[in-house]
Structures are given as structure tokens and as C-alpha cells.
Amino acid sequence: MNSPDGSKNLLATLRRIGALTAPYFRSEEKWTARALLAAIVALNLGVVYMLVLNNQWYARFYDALQNKDQAVFWREIVFFCWIAAGYIAIAILKFYLTQLLQLRWRAWMTRSYLSRWMADHTFYHLELARYGQKDGQSPDNPDQRIQEDMQLFTDYTMTLSMGLLNAVVTLVSFIGILWGLSGETTFSLFGNSYTVPGSMVWIALAYCAAGTIITHYIGRPLIGLNYQQQRFEADFRHHLVRVREYSEAIALDRGEQVEHEQLKLRFGSVLKNYLQLINKQKNLVAFTASFGQASVIFAFIVQAPRFFSGAIQLGQLMQVNSAFGRVQDSLSWFVDNYDRVAVWRATADRLTSFEAAMRAHASETSALERTPAVNGEGLKAADVSVTLPDGVPLIQGAALAVQPGDNVLLQGPSGSGKSTLFRAFAGIWPFANGRVSIPANAMFIPQRPYVPNGRLRDALAYPQPASAYSDAQLVQALKEAMLPDLAARLDDSDAWSQKLSGGEQQRLAIARVLLRKPAWVFADEATSALDAETEETLYHRLTAGVKAAGGAMVSIAHRASVGAFHDKRWTLVPESNGGAARYRVEAM
């Protein structure tokens, strides 16, 4: 029962690893990658050749010692120095080329995954999917998968694959040597005499087969535990980052104890899983260490009768031991690397699920038909429906229009879907259908703007390069947004998301609008953190700007004072029981 399932799991794992590996060796860097790989393979063959020369040296050297032949002794010492020098040179070059290939491979994979993760709002949609209808299918902690898992995958793939190649070539090279040196072994069983040629080869096969089977059954739980360990570590690290990002809010809420408990809870999961991992690894190490130590004297014990009977000399005994050690090491590759294979497989599984999620997102087509508006026309929405990530209908069949010169206020209860409707207009909400035409030169202002760390000029011009604007334009935008104190700090680098208050961050987002001068502005509670006087001044400037550009402004706001700047209303009204959705939009 176990064997077929194990074979299927092994084949499935190899297919996943192959699917992750093949793209790089077929990419635009394929010739460099293949050349480096071929050189590394050749160097691995060179290492095995040096080991064969070393094995042959054993016989001559120890025979010289046994015969007290000084001339041969010194000649073999010189020959060993040449072998050692060649081995060292090959090892250094192999290390350098392996690391170079691994580095280039990781760089290519990271660029590839980053470009797909950041394309078509994939990074945003995957996060929505984690907490919606696809919960359990979307990958957790994509930052860890891109930063850590790719480094582990390329490292382990190169190390383990070249190690396996080395083991196979070593086995092929030494198994013939060991067969020839073993001689014939005769034994009696039930009155019959049997002669076994190449006995040491069969002994090595039986010894390593038993070790491999036992290792697999002892170490099998490591695969799942390593997968879980990576996830728990990433969750713990992610919450640490959130505490740092929201440090002010946590401090004001006196939430230190709560966050401390949450961190301890996540770290407790890390420790609990790691303790299980240690216990399983302890059992594996106990067996593999015993297995390795027994192999040191195993060949001596088996060949001792032949040596003491005078059938073989000391040099041949040492050569047999060396050849047996090489064959045993080759056959024990799985035993020696089981824990690393477990980490490798867990890493491949995590990357595969990430790859599958991005492919699934790329193959999805949004049910919302979003087209550019005809010149001179404004926003038009026909039969637009919006659902939550878990599939619950929020808004059904909305028909809305905004013409140039209009200023529309969208109102409704908290949680009714106002911001979600804006996200659908912007084309980032995947759980929507219908038809929307969006005018060109539109800009959306979120309630909580993103303020990157670094130079202030870059934060102000975001997402455009700061070089697109002159210092005079940047300073003017800050002054119009009522941030005159920041005008002299354009080249200061800081953590602006923490240094600026909520109101200052909202004014910085408005400064971006005043800098870019869009014709259409969609503002989602863009002034909720401002005082009434500042809000009034900035709304005057925003509405005047869109009017001068021949556009319009659509706002989400709860304050009645904002209504004075709008001549139309969209109101989200709760549907009565049995409605197709929770809310309907009434335009007035």
C-alpha cells in the first residue's frame, strides 16, 4: 500500500521541481545557464576521476609501507601532492561556478515572480483571495516565497542535484573496482557450498538498501514539519512588521499587551513545531550517525579473514576499504541528505502553490467590462454588481453616470460598499460585473494613502518619478496642500508614513493630485483626518482644479460639510429582506 503512494508522491514532487526548474533553462539566459551547468557537471566528473586516482594510490602507498620501500614511498607522496592540487583546483572552480549559476538563477526567478506578482493587481487579488471564497487555496506570505524560498530552492536544487550526480558517477566508477577487489566468498548452507563473486558489492547494496528504507520511515514526517515551520516563521515575522508599521496606533491604544500576546502566540507555534522537528531530526540523526560510523569498520571486519590469511596485502585491504566507502557513500546519498531533501520538497511545494495561484489569477477574466470613455463624456456604469470576496452580493445592478462639471457625493452606512464600488470603478476589485466606461486622466485618492519611505520628493511624486517635476512644481503642490513646512525638506529621507500624522498624509495625497492636475478625481474619505477649515480650503482647490480641466469630482464622505461642494448624490440604501443584494444605489 505504501509503495505505490510513495512512488506517486515522488513522481509528483519531481514533476513540480521540474516545472519550477525548466523555465530558467529555456529563458533568454538559457545558453549561459546551460554552459555553466555543463561546466559544473564536467567538474563533478573531474572530482570523481580524482577519487579514482586516489583509490589506486592507496594500494601502491600502503604496499610501499608494508614492504618498507622508501623509493616508492616518496614517489607516491609526490604523486599524492599532484592529485591533491588537482582536486583543490577543481573544487574551487566548481564552488565558484555553482554559486554563480545559483545566483543568476535566483535573480532570474525573482525578477520573473516579481513581475507577475506586481502585474494586473495580482499582489492585491491574492491577498483578497486568502480571506474570501478561495480561503485555503491562496498562498500565504508571498514576500517570504519570493525572498527566502527562491534562495532555498535554487541552493538546494543545485546542491542536491549535483550531489546526486556525483553519487551516481562515483557508484559507477567504484562498483567495478570493488567487484574486482572483493574476490569470491564461499559459504555453506544446509550442507551445500555456495560461491558469491563480488561479495563486497552485494554487501554494500544490502547495507545501504536497509539504511535507505529505515531512513525514509524515520524521516518522512520532516517534510510536513518543514513546510509548517516555514509558514509559522513567516507569520511571526509578518506580525512583527505590522507592529512596527502601526507602532503609533498600537501605542495610543495601549495595545502593547495584546500585540505582545499575539506575538507570543505566533512564536509559540514556531517553537512548538520546531520542537517536533527537532525530535524527528534527533531520531534521524541517531540512525544516520550510527549508520555512518558502522560503515567505517564494516569493510575491515568483512575483509579481515582474507588479510590475516595472507590472501591480500595491506595495500589491497586499504583499497578495498576505500572503494567500499565510496560505493557505500554513493548508495547512502539518500540517507545522508534526507533532512535536506525534506526542506527542498517543502520549499518546492510552497513555490508551486504560489506559482499555481498566480497562473490561476492570470487565467481569470474579470466579469466587469471596463472601457475608456468617449472624448467629452464622463463616467458611465451600467448594470454594475459588486460582491464580497466570499461571494455575498453587496450591490446589484447599479446604473450611474457622471458628466463633466458634475460633483457627486457617494453616501451610505459604514460597510455598505462605497469604497468597494470605487475599487470596481478603478478596475482593481475582481468580484464585480457589469459595464463601466472611465474617462481618461482620472485619479483615485484612498482614505489611507500609501507614503513610501525615502526622499520626500519621491513620496510626493509617487508613483511617477520625481524627475518628472521641477522643484518649483513640487514646492507649489506642497504649499497648495497646506504643507508649507515640508517645502524645504524635499531631499530629506525618512520614514514618512510614521513621521507624518494622518492628516499630513492625507494632505500629501492631495498634493499629488494638485501636482498631477487630473481632470477626474475620485476621493474616498480623502479629508476625514482634517479639520473643517483645512478641508474646506482643499475641497475648493480640488473642485476648482477638475472644473478647469473639464472633468468632475466624485467623493465618499460622511461629513455634512463636504456636501456643500457637490451638486449630486448617490446614496446606498439597504434592501428589504429578500433583495438580490444588501444595498441599492439611488441617484439624486
Side-chain angles (χ1 to χ4, degrees):
M1 294 295 291
N2 291 333
S3 180
D5 292 341
S7 299
K8 290 179 181 179
N9 289 337
L10 176 61
L11 290 175
T13 299
L14 292 176
R15 280 196 294 268
R16 288 195 293 270
I17 291 171
L20 292 171
T21 302
Y24 176 60
F25 291 93
R26 297 172 182 167
S27 69
E28 67 282 358
E29 296 186 16
K30 60 184 178 183
W31 297 117
T32 301
R34 293 173 185 178
L36 284 171
L37 182 60
I40 293 167
V41 170
L43 290 169
N44 272 276
L45 296 178
V47 168
V48 175
Y49 177 69
M50 290 296 167
L51 294 177
V52 172
L53 291 180
N54 190 64
N55 177 264
Q56 296 170 350
W57 174 85
Y58 265 110
R60 300 191 302 270
F61 181 74
Y62 282 99
D63 280 345
L65 286 177
Q66 185 177 25
N67 298 329
K68 296 182 172 56
D69 191 335
Q70 188 173 5
V72 175
F73 171 83
W74 288 112
R75 186 181 68 199
E76 293 305 323
I77 288 293
V78 173
F79 186 73
F80 176 81
C81 292
W82 283 108
I83 296 176
Y87 183 89
I88 292 170
I90 292 173
I92 293 172
L93 185 57
K94 186 184 76 168
F95 168 80
Y96 175 74
L97 293 183
T98 301
Q99 295 300 309
L100 182 61
L101 177 57
Q102 179 188 328
L103 179 65
R104 294 177 65 93
W105 187 4
R106 180 191 177 188
W108 183 88
M109 283 190 73
T110 301
R111 289 193 299 267
S112 174
Y113 276 69
L114 277 177
S115 63
R116 285 185 288 158
W117 186 53
M118 297 301 295
D120 299 324
H121 314 298
T122 302
F123 64 97
Y124 175 60
H125 293 167
L126 292 184
E127 287 301 307
L128 290 176
R130 285 188 63 199
Y131 303 104
Q133 59 187 8
K134 299 178 182 178
D135 187 29
Q137 300 176 15
S138 188
D140 59 278
N141 303 296
D143 52 317
Q144 183 211 25
R145 302 186 183 216
I146 293 173
Q147 182 270 322
E148 181 179 340
D149 287 349
M150 288 184 188
Q151 187 272 329
L152 288 174
F153 178 76
T154 53
D155 181 9
Y156 279 36
T157 301
M158 287 301 304
T159 303
L160 293 174
S161 61
M162 289 301 103
L164 180 59
L165 172 66
N166 193 288
V168 171
V169 175
T170 300
L171 177 63
V172 172
S173 301
F174 280 91
I175 199 167
I177 297 173
L178 184 60
W179 183 283
L181 294 172
S182 298
E184 295 182 346
T185 300
T186 301
F187 64 95
S188 298
L189 183 63
F190 302 116
N192 296 318
S193 180
Y194 299 93
T195 300
V196 179
S199 58
M200 291 299 294
V201 172
W202 301 112
I203 292 172
L205 288 172
Y207 183 78
C208 295
T212 299
I213 293 171
I214 296 172
T215 297
H216 176 62
Y217 280 99
I218 293 175
R220 187 165 49 178
L222 291 175
I223 297 171
L225 289 172
N226 273 298
Y227 187 97
Q228 290 294 96
Q229 189 65 28
Q230 290 176 331
R231 183 170 70 87
F232 290 140
E233 294 279 8
D235 287 342
F236 177 55
R237 183 170 60 244
H238 178 69
H239 201 78
L240 286 170
V241 172
R242 284 182 60 82
V243 170
R244 189 183 68 189
E245 289 180 345
Y246 293 91
S247 56
E248 181 180 353
I250 294 171
L252 288 173
D253 287 336
R254 299 295 190 268
E256 294 91 339
Q257 187 59 37
V258 175
E259 296 306 316
H260 190 198
E261 292 300 321
Q262 287 294 318
L263 287 170
K264 288 198 300 184
L265 181 65
R266 284 166 171 77
F267 189 59
S269 298
V270 170
L271 293 180
K272 181 180 178 182
N273 192 81
Y274 194 62
L275 183 60
Q276 295 180 54
L277 194 60
I278 289 174
N279 288 329
K280 297 300 181 183
Q281 285 178 325
K282 176 193 67 178
N283 297 335
L284 183 62
V285 169
F287 175 74
T288 55
S290 302
F291 183 83
Q293 289 301 310
S295 67
V296 173
I297 60 172
F298 193 80
F300 286 121
I301 294 173
V302 174
Q303 290 295 307
R306 296 182 67 204
F307 173 71
F308 289 116
S309 68
I312 58 174
Q313 297 293 308
L314 177 61
Q316 191 174 357
L317 175 64
M318 298 304 297
Q319 191 178 11
V320 169
N321 183 67
S322 173
F324 178 83
R326 298 300 179 189
V327 171
Q328 183 266 327
D329 285 345
S330 301
L331 293 172
S332 302
W333 180 88
F334 188 73
V335 174
D336 297 335
N337 291 279
Y338 195 92
D339 55 340
R340 294 169 63 82
V341 171
V343 175
W344 186 39
R345 177 174 170 178
T347 301
D349 287 345
R350 289 174 61 81
L351 285 177
T352 299
S353 65
F354 187 31
E355 173 79 23
M358 290 198 295
R359 286 183 182 275
H361 174 265
S363 65
E364 291 176 352
T365 55
S366 176
L368 181 67
E369 182 183 341
R370 195 169 176 272
T371 58
V374 178
N375 289 339
E377 294 189 358
L379 169 75
K380 288 185 179 179
D383 197 27
V384 172
S385 298
V386 177
T387 64
L388 295 175
D390 58 6
V392 175
L394 198 59
I395 301 171
Q396 187 78 20
L400 304 166
V402 184
Q403 297 300 324
D406 291 343
N407 288 318
V408 180
L409 179 64
L410 175 58
Q411 292 181 309
S414 295
S416 58
K418 302 183 295 297
S419 298
T420 305
L421 185 61
F422 264 30
R423 295 178 189 123
F425 290 163
I428 68 171
W429 190 255
F431 313 108
N433 55 57
R435 299 182 303 279
V436 174
S437 59
I438 295 289
N441 197 16
M443 189 170 177
F444 288 79
I445 313 176
Q447 180 179 359
R448 187 180 173 218
Y450 172 64
V451 182
N453 297 336
R455 297 186 307 170
L456 179 61
R457 64 170 67 243
D458 295 320
L460 173 57
Y462 183 85
Q464 295 179 322
S467 58
Y469 303 98
S470 66
D471 284 5
Q473 289 175 306
L474 297 173
V475 169
Q476 181 64 26
L478 288 172
K479 290 181 177 179
E480 289 181 359
M482 305 181 73
L483 291 170
D485 294 342
L486 296 179
R489 302 185 61 187
L490 289 175
D491 290 313
D492 288 2
S493 293
D494 214 329
W496 299 109
S497 60
Q498 295 183 353
K499 291 298 179 67
L500 299 180
S501 67
E504 288 174 323
Q505 292 183 46
Q506 287 192 334
R507 278 180 279 167
L508 185 65
I510 292 173
R512 291 173 182 165
V513 178
L514 299 174
L515 182 65
R516 290 174 57 181
K517 296 180 172 54
W520 291 78
V521 173
F522 296 81
D524 182 2
E525 293 280 3
T527 58
S528 59
L530 303 181
D531 60 273
E533 183 179 352
T534 302
E535 180 180 64
E536 181 179 358
T537 301
L538 292 180
Y539 253 100
H540 271 300
R541 292 173 181 174
L542 288 171
T543 53
V546 296
K547 182 178 181 180
M553 185 166 184
V554 182
S555 301
I556 296 174
H558 289 284
R559 290 180 183 174
S561 57
V562 177
F565 299 95
H566 302 82
D567 48 30
K568 292 186 177 181
R569 298 284 191 282
W570 293 344
T571 305
L572 289 175
V573 179
E575 286 279 17
S576 58
N577 292 336
R582 291 182 177 179
Y583 297 90
R584 69 177 187 275
V585 184
E586 292 185 353
M588 295 176 284

